[in-house]
Amino acid sequence: MKLGFLTACLPESDLTDIARWAATQGFEALEVAGWPDPDDRNHIRVDRFDDVERERVRRIFAETGLTLSSIAYYENNLHPTTGKEVNAHVRRCIEAAAALGCPTVGTFVGRDPGLPVRENLARATDVFGPLVEYARQHGVEIVIENCVMKSWHPDGYPGNLAYSPELWEWMFSLGLKLNYDPSHLVALGIDPVEALTPYLDGIAHVQAKDTQFLPGKINHYGFYGPISGEKGWYRFRVPGLGQIDWTRVIDALYEGGYDGVVSVEHEDAVWSGSTERVQTGLGIAYRTLRSLVHG
């Protein structure tokens, strides 16, 4: 395995600076943000990917010795008004990944909040069938993160239909792979190791994020959280500052034969607010995982 991180936590930094810092810290891979303008999470300019951009990115990874593990574009592919634009950008991400020798593109299934789950699953089959085939033709796999995305539903219900092992089985039947993130499973009361063990063949990428339970909050809000739809009783932390037993998780991945990248997804509000604080948070994650993740 290799240890890396998702660059979206450093939107104000250039990919060159991120890669050089990552290499000096001992990271071995980057999962690179590829959102379109005007979003500033665009460390690879997928929306205007040409020969110049391809050579720029290739040179950065050649000079630093890092691995480009995935191009990340996590948006709602089933949104009733913007879904087609999202689908089109996923295709651009696939083209860029193929040109760069990157094995995966990461996104969300999403959901149309105005439709019941079964109708969303039918729509997703129609949407992702052509996307998966396009990726296959380019030698790339689409990976779906198992984030709940409650903020995408007006009542705080799951907004990304990829949050449970039951849905992973459906995803795999479409040719999609899993970007496994244990933090979301813990927040659903699912044992992250028991969940991953039967599905290791479907995991093509791993994200490392932790979940911290906030004392007493669940007794006030309940499992579904506050009426605002926010989390309420838990928050995301960098690995080592939450509830997850990373020794157990990484050991299960090794035992199951996973040999890809473990990519830190930094969404820790405590270690945010400046480049320096984000880097400190990434350093905490590195020290937590370094003794566990090795080739």
Side-chain angles (χ1 to χ4, degrees):
M1 286 191 222
K2 293 182 179 180
L3 182 58
F5 65 86
L6 172 57
T7 66
C9 60
L10 293 166
E12 72 289 343
S13 299
D14 180 83
L15 181 59
T16 300
D17 294 333
I18 294 172
R20 288 174 178 169
W21 180 85
T24 62
Q25 301 303 306
F27 287 102
E28 299 150 317
L30 289 177
E31 178 185 4
V32 180
W35 274 258
D37 267 340
D39 200 304
D40 53 8
R41 294 171 296 175
N42 52 22
H43 294 120
I44 289 179
R45 297 314 312 268
V46 175
D47 51 350
R48 51 175 188 251
F49 193 80
D50 55 17
D51 291 345
V52 173
E53 177 68 356
R54 183 185 69 244
E55 291 309 311
R56 181 186 77 92
V57 177
R58 280 183 174 175
R59 185 172 60 253
I60 290 169
F61 281 88
E63 290 176 352
T64 58
L66 297 173
T67 294
L68 173 56
S69 67
S70 190
I71 295 179
Y73 173 58
Y74 286 91
E75 293 294 345
N76 189 346
N77 277 277
L78 301 185
H79 193 281
T81 57
T82 62
K84 289 184 178 180
E85 296 175 17
V86 174
N87 305 159
H89 193 71
V90 170
R91 286 176 177 264
R92 290 191 287 271
C93 288
I94 290 168
E95 293 164 2
L100 293 165
C102 176
T104 68
V105 166
T107 191
F108 287 136
V109 171
R111 176 180 184 168
D112 180 340
L115 296 177
V117 170
R118 290 193 180 278
E119 290 184 33
N120 269 283
L121 296 182
R123 282 198 62 228
T125 300
D126 293 338
V127 168
F128 278 97
L131 287 176
V132 168
E133 176 59 21
Y134 195 69
R136 187 194 64 77
Q137 292 171 0
H138 285 77
V140 175
E141 291 189 303
I142 299 175
V143 295
I144 304 293
E145 184 191 347
N146 54 290
C147 182
V148 182
M149 292 306 295
K150 295 194 295 183
S151 62
W152 282 356
H153 194 285
D155 291 323
Y157 299 143
N160 174 40
L161 297 177
Y163 57 85
S164 68
E166 178 186 20
L167 287 162
W168 301 349
E169 293 174 357
W170 162 77
M171 283 169 26
F172 297 153
S173 74
L174 301 183
L176 296 164
K177 296 290 187 176
L178 178 64
N179 190 1
Y180 166 78
D181 183 337
S183 67
H184 304 296
L185 296 169
V186 171
L188 289 172
I190 297 174
D191 183 304
V193 173
E194 293 295 324
L196 81 85
T197 302
Y199 302 107
L200 278 157
D201 288 346
I203 297 173
H205 200 266
V206 171
Q207 286 184 331
K209 185 164 75 264
D210 219 327
T211 302
Q212 180 185 31
F213 297 158
L214 303 176
K217 295 293 186 180
I218 196 169
N219 293 329
H220 181 67
Y221 293 121
F223 176 82
Y224 293 103
I227 57 174
S228 66
E230 296 301 316
K231 293 180 279 291
W233 58 273
Y234 66 91
R235 62 179 178 175
F236 294 130
R237 304 300 307 274
V238 293
L241 298 180
Q243 319 295 136
I244 293 175
D245 184 342
W246 289 101
T247 298
R248 188 165 165 256
V249 169
I250 300 300
D251 184 60
L253 289 167
Y254 271 115
E255 185 175 3
Y258 179 76
D259 61 358
V261 170
V262 176
S263 178
V264 176
E265 185 183 18
H266 186 324
E267 293 184 352
D268 190 326
V270 176
W271 293 107
S272 296
S274 69
T275 298
E276 291 73 20
R277 289 188 67 82
V278 170
Q279 289 175 339
T280 299
L282 289 170
I284 294 169
Y286 180 88
R287 291 188 293 275
T288 298
L289 298 172
R290 180 71 287 173
S291 64
L292 304 174
V293 177
H294 48 82

